[in-house]
Amino acid sequence: MRFCLPFLVVLLWVAGSARAQRLPADTLHAPAPALPGLYADPHIAAFGNRYYLYPTTDGIEGWGATSFTCWSSPDMVQWKNEGVILDLPRDLTWASKNAWAPAIAAKNSKYYFYYSAATNIGVAVADKPTGPFKDPLGKPLVAKGLFKGQAIDPMVLVDDDGSAYLYWGQGQCHVVKLNPDMISYDPAAVIEFKPPGYNEGTFAFKRKGKYYLMWSEYDTRDPRYSVAYATASSPLGPWTKAEKNPILKGHGVVKGAGHHSVVQVPGTDQWAIAFHRFHIPDGNGYNRETCLAPMRFDAQGNILPVSVFESVKPTKIKASRPNAHP
C-alpha cells in the first residue's frame, strides 16, 4: 500500500500529538512539592472534611529523625502544619531515634498511629487525627528480629466490615489481621510473602471489591526508586503482580519517586497519590520532598501510570462523613 507525502505527514503529526499527550513537554521543571521543606514517606488520609499528611521528617543523614508531625488541608493543596504529634524521646520508653514511615487508621472512634522507631513498629492512640498520640503498650507492636526483614514501614487497611489488617516489612512483606483493639494480634497468624521486585513501603487499599497491594522497588537512595502493585480478592492475598509496572517512577529532573500512599476523595472515585522524590535540584536519599499527583484507573481496574509532572487540583470534601468504623 502506498501513501502520498501529505498523508504521511498527517499520520506523523497525529502520532506525535498522541505521544505528546502521554509525556510531559517539559521534564526539566517539576511541580513544587506539596509540603515546604524536607519530608518523605508520606501517608495521606481523609477524615471528616479534611485531608491529613503524616510524613517522615527528612534532611538528616542516616534518617535520624526523632519525632513526627501532622499536616492538614481542606483541599490537598493548602497544607497547615499541625505540629509534633509524637516525640520519641518524650513519649516512648523503648525507642528514641529513627522515626520513619508512619501510617494512620481510624476505628472505635479513635485514631491509631503506626510508625517505625529504631527499626521496630510501634502504635500510638489519640482522640483526634492531629493528636496528641499516646503509647498504649509501652513496647513495640512488632519488635525487631521477630520476623524476616526489617520491622519498618507499617500500613493498616480497615476493611468495609471493620476488620483491620497490618502490613509491614523491608526485604520481606508481612500481613496479619489485627485484634479488634487495633493494638494487638496473634503472631502465629502472620503471613510472610514477597512479591516480585518488592523492597519496602507497603500500602494497601480496596476499590470496587478488589484489594490492591502497592510497594516500593529498589532502595530509597537509588534514583530508580519506584512503585509497583499487585491485586487480590482478599486482604491476605495471594497477590498477583500487575503486568504493567511500575506505575510511579522518576522521569527527567524527578529522581527517586516512591514510598507512597493513596487517598480516595470521599464519595467519589477520584484518587490521589502522595509520594516523595529527591529534593530538586540537589536532593538524594536523605534529602527528599513530598509531592501529590492524581492517580487513575482504566475500565478493568488497572492503575494507570502516574505522571510525576502533574499536580493535584484543589479538591474539597463535599460532605462530612464518619471518621471511623463504629
Side-chain angles (χ1 to χ4, degrees), residues 40-313:
D41 313 327
H43 183 103
I44 189 169
F47 300 123
N49 61 356
R50 294 184 73 83
Y51 301 94
Y52 296 86
L53 272 173
Y54 303 86
T56 297
T57 301
D58 213 22
I60 305 168
E61 192 78 14
W63 309 295
T66 60
S67 63
F68 294 101
T69 57
C70 171
W71 299 70
S72 72
S73 172
D75 61 3
M76 284 196 286
V77 174
Q78 301 296 324
W79 290 93
K80 174 187 176 184
N81 189 344
E82 299 286 355
V84 173
I85 58 172
L86 187 72
D87 182 271
L88 303 192
R90 179 192 67 196
D91 300 328
L92 302 185
T93 59
W94 51 270
S96 61
K97 62 180 181 179
N98 301 125
W100 303 340
I104 197 164
K107 190 180 173 182
N108 307 326
S109 299
K110 300 283 186 180
Y111 296 88
Y112 298 88
F113 185 70
Y114 303 86
Y115 56 92
S116 309
T119 59
N120 302 269
I121 291 173
V123 60
V125 187
D127 294 325
K128 300 185 299 181
T130 53
F133 286 86
K134 301 297 182 182
D135 177 13
L137 298 178
K139 62 180 181 179
L141 177 62
V142 181
K144 67 173 69 175
L146 283 181
F147 303 96
K148 294 178 182 177
Q150 285 199 91
I152 62 173
D153 299 356
M155 160 64 200
V156 168
L157 166 67
V158 180
D159 209 346
D160 299 331
D161 64 357
S163 299
Y165 300 86
L166 171 67
Y167 303 81
W168 78 90
Q170 189 275 330
Q172 182 82 31
C173 195
H174 309 77
V175 60
V176 68
K177 185 176 181 179
L178 290 170
N179 292 329
D181 63 8
M182 298 289 283
I183 60 172
S184 65
Y185 61 93
D186 178 4
V190 172
I191 298 172
E192 295 185 339
F193 61 101
K194 187 174 182 178
Y198 175 90
N199 183 38
E200 62 188 11
T202 313
F203 191 89
F205 67 95
K206 186 180 183 181
R207 177 184 181 267
K208 297 185 177 182
K210 181 185 294 186
Y211 296 89
Y212 293 76
L213 182 80
M214 308 175 77
W215 63 85
S216 292
E217 302 189 341
Y218 298 102
D219 184 271
T220 191
R221 293 163 290 190
D222 192 323
R224 297 172 297 171
Y225 201 52
S226 51
V227 172
Y229 79 100
T231 58
S233 59
S234 162
L236 298 174
W239 302 95
T240 301
K241 188 173 182 180
E243 292 183 4
K244 295 183 179 180
N245 269 307
I247 57 94
L248 175 74
K249 63 179 180 178
H251 185 57
V253 71
V254 176
K255 309 293 184 186
H259 205 124
H260 74 299
S261 59
V262 304
V263 67
Q264 180 180 15
V265 178
T268 75
D269 193 31
Q270 185 175 347
W271 297 73
I273 184 168
F275 61 95
H276 70 236
R277 69 189 185 200
F278 287 5
H279 178 262
I280 296 173
D282 54 356
N284 54 37
Y286 300 109
N287 294 276
R288 302 162 295 178
E289 52 195 7
T290 287
C291 302
L292 291 173
M295 189 178 81
R296 303 178 179 93
F297 302 81
D298 67 15
Q300 289 73 45
N302 300 305
I303 302 176
L304 296 173
V306 174
S307 172
V308 292
F309 290 88
E310 183 181 9
S311 298
V312 293
K313 293 180 172 60

